[in-house]
Amino acid sequence: MTLQELLTHYKNPLDQKQRALVTEAFEFAEHAHKGQKRKSGEDYFEHSVATTAILAEIGMRSKTTAAALLHDVPEDTEVTLEEIQKKFGPEITKLVDGITKLGKFKLRGDKKELQLENLRKIFLAMAEDIRVVLIKLADRLHNMRTLDALPPEKQERIARETMEIYAPIANRLGIGEIKGELEDLSFKFLDPKNYEFSRDLMDKVFKERKKYVDLAIKELREELVSSKIKVIDVHGRAKHIYRFFLKLKKYDMNMQQVHDVMAVRVIVPGIPDCYEALGIVHKKYRPLVGRIKDYISLPKPNGYRSLHTTVFGPSGKILEIQIRTPRMHDESEFGIAAHWIYSSPQSWRDYIFGRRAPVDIPEKELEWVKQLREWQKEFGQDSLEYLQGLRIDFFQNHIFAFTPKGDIIDLPEEATPIDFAYAVHSEIGSRTTGAKADGKLVPLDYKIRNGQVVEILTSKDPKTPNQDWIRIARTSYAKTRIRQQLRKAGIMVGLVRKE
Ligand code: MN
C-alpha cells in the first residue's frame, strides 16, 4: 500500500500538518524495515501500513496512526527508541514504547498463568493510554487476516488468544467492527468445520431473504419520507458468522428461531426521530411481542445505543430493525475510537494526561479506567487474584439493577446485594444489614436478576463489614472495599481459601 492509498483510508481527511506527520512516519518506518520480509513473503512494512489503515478507518488521527506506522520499528529493526524520540517527540514515542512492551508476551510456562500475564499487560496499558490498546487490536486484526502463512500449531495458539483476550477487549471498548472480525477469523481456525457450516448456511439464508430485505428497505424509506422524517440512510446488515453460530447453538441449531441473520438499519438525525421512526415502522409492520429493546434509554454496558424491534416484514417474514442516529452508529462500529471523531484533540490530550474529562465522554468510561488503577494499587500487579477479578468484572455478561430511586447499577452476572451496596457507595456497603429485591426480603448471597429493583437496608450507625462478605461478593470492587474497611478496623484478613 502506498502512502497515497493509506491517506484515502482516513475516516476524516487530515489537514496539512497532520498529513506531514503521517508522511514523515511512513517514510521513516519504510526505510527502517527495508529488506525485511514476513512469513508470507510480503514486505514487512506492508503489515505496518495495513495496521495503520485499520486505525484510520475507525477514526483515529495522525499521532495514533503515526505511532502505528512505527509500531514494530524498535522491536524488529536497528533503529532505537531514542532515534524515534528525537524525530517524533515524547507523545508518539510513548505510544510506540507501549506497543513494544505489550508485544513482549511470555510464551513459556503454565498456560493459565501465561494468559493472565498477557491480560495483565493489556490492562496496564489500557489504564495508561487506551490508544496503545487500539493499536494493538489493529495489529492483531491484521495478523489474524494473514494467519494462513503460519504453521498450524501457531495458528491455533494465536487464534485462541485472540478469541479469549483480544475479541472481548474490543467488545469492552465497544468496537463492534473489530470484535466481529476477530471472532470470525479465530472461529475459522479453532473450529473450521462449524465455521464452514455456518458460513454456508448464512449464504443460503442470504439468497433466500435478500429480496424481502431489499423490499423492506424500499418500503420503509418511502414510509419515513412521507411522514416527513429526514432519513440519513436505510441499509441491510449481515450478522457476523461466529455470532450467527452462537445463536444457532442457543436454539438447538433450529434456523427458524434466528431472526436477525439480516437486519435493516435505519439512520435518522436525532433521538426524537428514532422514537418517531419506531412508531412509523410499527404502523407499517406488526411488531412481535416482547422484542422491542430500547438501548437508547438503557445502553448496554459497553455504551451501545439503538432501538431494536422485530417485526413481520414484507410477506409476513420476520425481520429485525435497528434505529439509531449517525453518532450512535459510529459508536457501535468504532466504540471508544468514535470519541476521537466527536471530541476536539485538545480535550483528548487533557483526558489522556489525566487533566480532565472531555465533555462528552460518559462518566462510566472514566470510572472504569480509574477503577483499573485502583485495583492495581491495591493488589500489586502480580497477584493472580487481582487478575482473575479483572477477568470477571470485565468479561462477564452484565446485568442492570435499579436503586429505588431509579438509578441504574451495572453489575456482572450472579452479583449479590453486597456487590450492589458497594457499587452504590462503600459507606452503604459497610452498613448493610439486609436487602430487598422487587420489594421482597432476600438473603445477602441472593443472585440479583436483570431489571430488579434492589433496596439495601442499612444500620443507622457506622459498622464494619462482615468477613464472610468477601466470599459472597462477586466483583473485585466490593471485595477490595470490604478488605480495606476490615483492615482499617484492625481486622486482619487472610487469603481467601479456594473452594
Ligand atoms: Mn505488528
Side-chain angles (χ1 to χ4, degrees):
M1 200 187 301
T2 65
L3 175 62
Q4 285 315 311
E5 281 165 332
L6 172 64
L7 290 173
T8 65
H9 284 262
Y10 282 83
K11 186 168 161 67
N12 295 330
L14 299 177
D15 65 26
Q16 216 180 349
K17 220 175 118 199
Q18 294 169 324
R19 212 163 41 230
L21 173 61
V22 171
T23 304
E24 214 175 340
F26 188 99
E27 285 164 357
F28 186 91
E30 187 179 34
H31 186 258
H33 285 294
K34 209 167 196 81
Q36 291 178 334
K37 298 279 180 201
R38 298 189 91 206
K39 284 256 162 50
S40 60
E42 232 182 7
D43 279 341
Y44 193 94
F45 184 57
E46 276 300 311
H47 161 70
S48 311
V49 187
T51 299
T52 308
I54 292 167
L55 290 160
E57 282 161 14
I58 66 169
M60 301 312 289
R61 315 292 295 159
S62 55
K63 282 184 183 147
T64 312
T65 53
L69 284 164
L70 298 163
H71 84 269
D72 281 327
V73 168
E75 183 74 2
D76 295 329
T77 77
E78 302 289 302
V79 180
T80 63
L81 205 61
E82 287 70 51
E83 289 169 72
I84 291 177
Q85 164 101 19
K86 232 182 263 158
K87 188 138 179 100
F88 296 96
E91 190 180 346
I92 289 173
T93 308
K94 216 172 149 231
L95 290 173
V96 175
D97 191 34
I99 308 295
T100 310
K101 285 185 182 138
L102 209 48
K104 283 183 187 145
F105 276 4
K106 261 168 63 187
L107 295 172
R108 264 174 309 182
D110 173 75
K111 213 170 159 191
K112 194 162 181 178
E113 261 170 51
L114 278 183
Q115 211 194 42
L116 288 170
E117 159 76 12
N118 296 342
L119 200 57
R120 174 184 76 83
K121 284 195 169 160
I122 295 173
F123 283 125
L124 290 184
M126 201 133 68
E128 187 97 348
D129 190 330
I130 287 174
R131 292 177 299 176
V132 170
V133 179
L134 292 174
I135 298 171
K136 187 69 203 171
L137 283 174
D139 173 55
R140 177 51 63 111
L141 179 54
H142 183 253
N143 285 334
M144 286 301 296
R145 283 178 185 168
T146 50
L147 199 57
D148 284 310
L150 295 185
E153 326 83 68
K154 269 199 166 172
Q155 286 176 350
E156 145 115 49
R157 183 181 61 76
I158 294 171
R160 189 162 306 285
E161 194 181 74
T162 303
M163 191 65 116
E164 289 174 1
I165 296 180
Y166 290 95
I169 284 175
N171 182 43
R172 198 66 179 78
L173 297 176
I175 316 170
E177 263 310 284
I178 290 185
K179 172 204 142 206
E181 198 181 338
L182 285 176
E183 282 182 345
D184 280 2
L185 288 164
S186 312
F187 184 36
K188 185 174 128 190
F189 288 97
L190 292 175
D191 189 354
K193 252 201 194 141
N194 275 321
Y195 173 82
E196 275 163 38
F197 168 79
S198 310
R199 187 198 53 201
D200 295 349
L201 183 57
M202 261 180 88
D203 282 350
K204 212 182 112 214
V205 176
F206 272 175
K207 283 191 194 109
E208 282 166 18
R209 295 200 184 167
K210 189 164 186 319
K211 64 174 184 234
Y212 301 112
V213 170
D214 286 346
L215 184 59
I217 290 173
K218 188 168 158 285
E219 288 184 350
L220 280 176
R221 193 185 281 276
E222 285 168 6
E223 199 73 29
L224 289 162
V225 167
S226 71
S227 310
K228 302 268 181 310
I229 289 192
K230 194 169 168 260
V231 177
I232 292 173
D233 194 21
V234 182
H235 62 263
R237 82 102 181 84
K239 213 174 174 60
H240 281 284
I241 296 170
Y242 180 61
R243 290 283 138 190
F244 171 65
F245 172 70
L246 289 185
K247 264 263 164 92
L248 266 180
K249 244 175 52 178
K250 184 171 156 194
Y251 294 113
D252 292 326
M253 304 312 262
N254 180 358
M255 188 50 224
Q256 300 307 318
Q257 295 286 318
V258 185
H259 302 312
D260 59 348
V261 182
M262 279 181 108
V264 172
R265 247 180 217 151
V266 177
I267 317 276
V268 290
I271 292 175
D273 304 309
C274 292
Y275 290 97
E276 212 174 317
L278 181 69
I280 290 158
V281 167
H282 286 167
K283 206 174 74 190
K284 177 81 189 161
Y285 303 127
R286 193 159 58 84
L288 265 76
V289 180
R291 296 295 293 259
I292 303 164
K293 290 174 202 148
D294 183 354
Y295 295 123
I296 294 179
S297 342
L298 212 60
K300 287 192 185 177
N302 66 5
Y304 177 83
R305 293 184 298 164
S306 265
L307 298 177
H308 287 193
T309 183
T310 306
V311 298
F312 295 99
S315 314
K317 297 275 177 206
I318 292 174
L319 189 64
E320 183 176 295
I321 295 173
Q322 307 172 342
I323 305 167
R324 52 173 78 154
T325 67
R327 180 170 178 162
M328 291 174 198
H329 184 61
D330 281 346
E331 283 173 356
S332 78
E333 312 263 293
F334 312 136
I336 196 164
H339 295 302
W340 272 267
I341 308 172
Y342 288 98
S343 57
S344 73
Q346 186 53 44
S347 68
W348 261 100
R349 278 182 61 85
D350 288 349
Y351 170 61
I352 284 153
F353 295 112
R355 280 197 282 270
R356 68 171 171 81
V359 270
D360 54 355
I361 293 292
E363 266 304 304
K364 208 149 221 178
E365 225 138 40
L366 281 175
E367 269 310 309
W368 176 69
V369 174
K370 259 192 276 173
Q371 224 174 60
L372 268 178
R373 293 206 184 100
E374 241 178 75
W375 287 337
Q376 194 185 312
K377 259 189 265 152
E378 169 73 11
F379 290 115
Q381 306 176 0
D382 297 316
S383 152
L384 208 67
E385 190 185 355
Y386 153 75
L387 290 160
Q388 266 151 353
L390 280 185
R391 247 175 109 89
I392 289 171
D393 288 355
F394 275 81
F395 295 153
Q396 277 216 340
N397 289 330
H398 279 235
I399 53 168
F400 288 113
F402 298 88
T403 67
K405 280 192 198 139
D407 292 330
I408 303 166
I409 306 292
D410 164 10
L411 295 165
E413 260 174 358
E414 304 201 331
T416 63
I418 293 293
D419 296 299
F420 184 92
Y422 277 90
V424 174
H425 200 283
S426 310
E427 200 43 36
I428 299 200
S430 62
R431 288 178 192 229
T432 302
T433 55
K436 284 182 179 175
D438 289 338
K440 279 187 208 121
L441 275 173
V442 291
L444 289 179
D445 61 356
Y446 174 79
K447 285 176 186 135
I448 299 173
R449 288 201 310 270
N450 204 15
Q452 279 187 320
V453 175
V454 178
E455 190 186 338
I456 300 297
L457 311 173
T458 54
S459 67
K460 269 222 175 71
D461 304 318
K463 76 178 196 43
T464 38
N466 189 320
Q467 285 194 53
D468 275 353
W469 292 358
I470 298 174
R471 188 181 46 78
I472 292 173
R474 188 97 181 102
T475 55
S476 343
Y477 184 76
K479 286 179 198 278
T480 311
R481 284 279 170 275
I482 295 165
R483 273 205 197 90
Q484 280 173 351
Q485 291 170 340
L486 287 170
R487 214 173 296 144
K488 237 186 183 168
I491 300 167
M492 291 299 286
V493 188
L495 285 172
V496 183
R497 254 171 290 123
K498 282 207 180 111
E499 277 135 55

